[in-house]
């Protein structure tokens, strides 16, 4: 059965975007500018991607408007909008936990919870995330879109790995 993996970058103070939703601060400190980081190896483990509408829209219109960066990997966009599926991109409404159950049963590798805060928050509140892989970017934003919502109870984690490159620290936790 697949695992739901929240793989996201965040500021040292826990934000995943600035107040306007911008992510131009997502960079290391320049100490190892050629370091590949953890993304290429992580992406090799991904069987499917889940993201919210805002993340999808930002990727498709701002971050990679000329080509879809996840071609060849099924992507499920959680939205209330009426959208027509595109090649490899499936728009879903309804209960997020039901979609998570469906995808966990259908796939074997990792299901990447790519963003944003609403999708991640709902799955965290439901206790559905199996692994949190957080890339901590060396910047303190002071405000913006916070990753972690209020939770109904603590979510105990076990540190299973760390990586360090270009001033970025990856913290990899699994649910206890």
């Amino acid at each position: 059965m697949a695992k739901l993996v929240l793989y996201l970058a965040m500021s040292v103070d826990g934000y995943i975007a600035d107040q306007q939703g911008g992510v131009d601060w997502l960079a290391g400190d320049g100490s190892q500018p050629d370091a590949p980081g953890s993304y290429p190896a992580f992406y090799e483990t991904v069987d499917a991607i889940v993201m919210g509408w805002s993340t999808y829209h930002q990727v498709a219109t701002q971050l990679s408007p000329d080509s879809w960066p996840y071609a060849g990997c099924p992507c499920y966009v959680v939205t209330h909008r009426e959208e027509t599926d595109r090649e490899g991109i499936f728009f879903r409404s309804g209960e997020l936990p039901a979609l998570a159950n469906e995808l966990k049963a259908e796939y074997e590798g990792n299901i990447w919870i790519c963003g944003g805060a609403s999708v991640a928050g709902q799955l965290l509140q439901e206790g559905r995330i199996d692994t949190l892989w957080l890339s901590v970017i060396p910047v303190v934003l002071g405000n913006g879109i916070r990753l972690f919502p209020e939770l109904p109870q603590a979510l105990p984690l076990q540190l299973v790995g760390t990586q360090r490159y270009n001033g970025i620290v990856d913290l990899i936790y699994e649910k206890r």
Side-chain angles (χ1 to χ4, degrees):
M1 181 177 279
K3 284 187 171 184
L4 293 179
V5 180
L6 178 61
Y7 178 90
L8 287 177
M10 67 179 207
S11 64
V12 169
D13 53 345
Y15 295 100
I16 62 170
D18 65 25
Q19 283 187 308
Q20 291 75 38
V23 293
D24 59 343
W25 53 271
L26 288 176
D29 63 8
S31 60
Q32 297 171 295
D34 296 328
S38 59
Y39 177 78
F42 170 75
Y43 191 70
E44 288 292 319
T45 71
V46 174
D47 280 0
I49 302 169
V50 175
M51 65 179 66
W53 171 262
S54 295
T55 300
Y56 165 76
H57 185 72
Q58 185 176 42
V59 170
T61 63
Q62 296 173 13
L63 302 177
S64 186
D66 298 325
S67 66
W68 183 242
Y70 311 119
C73 187
C75 182
Y76 297 84
V77 179
V78 180
T79 182
H80 297 294
R81 291 175 169 78
E82 293 292 326
E83 292 286 331
T84 303
D85 291 347
R86 296 166 176 79
E87 184 176 338
I89 303 172
F90 309 98
F91 296 92
R92 295 290 185 88
S93 61
E95 294 295 317
L96 189 52
L99 175 61
N101 288 342
E102 176 187 327
L103 297 178
K104 283 183 81 160
E106 182 176 343
Y107 296 101
E108 294 180 12
N110 288 329
I111 300 167
W112 175 18
I113 307 305
C114 179
S118 177
V119 169
Q122 288 177 59
L123 292 170
L124 283 166
Q125 287 172 330
E126 294 282 331
R128 304 309 289 273
I129 301 293
D130 298 303
T131 304
L132 281 83
W133 189 320
L134 305 172
S135 297
V136 181
I137 307 299
V139 65
V140 175
L141 290 180
N143 58 40
I145 299 172
R146 185 164 291 287
L147 170 57
F148 296 108
E150 286 189 24
L151 298 176
Q153 60 192 25
L155 177 62
L157 303 170
Q158 177 182 2
L159 183 66
V160 296
T162 60
Q163 294 181 22
R164 188 179 95 181
Y165 50 91
N166 199 25
I168 298 168
V169 176
D170 283 2
L171 302 170
I172 307 160
Y173 295 98
E174 289 185 355
K175 226 172 31 171
R176 279 192 277 152

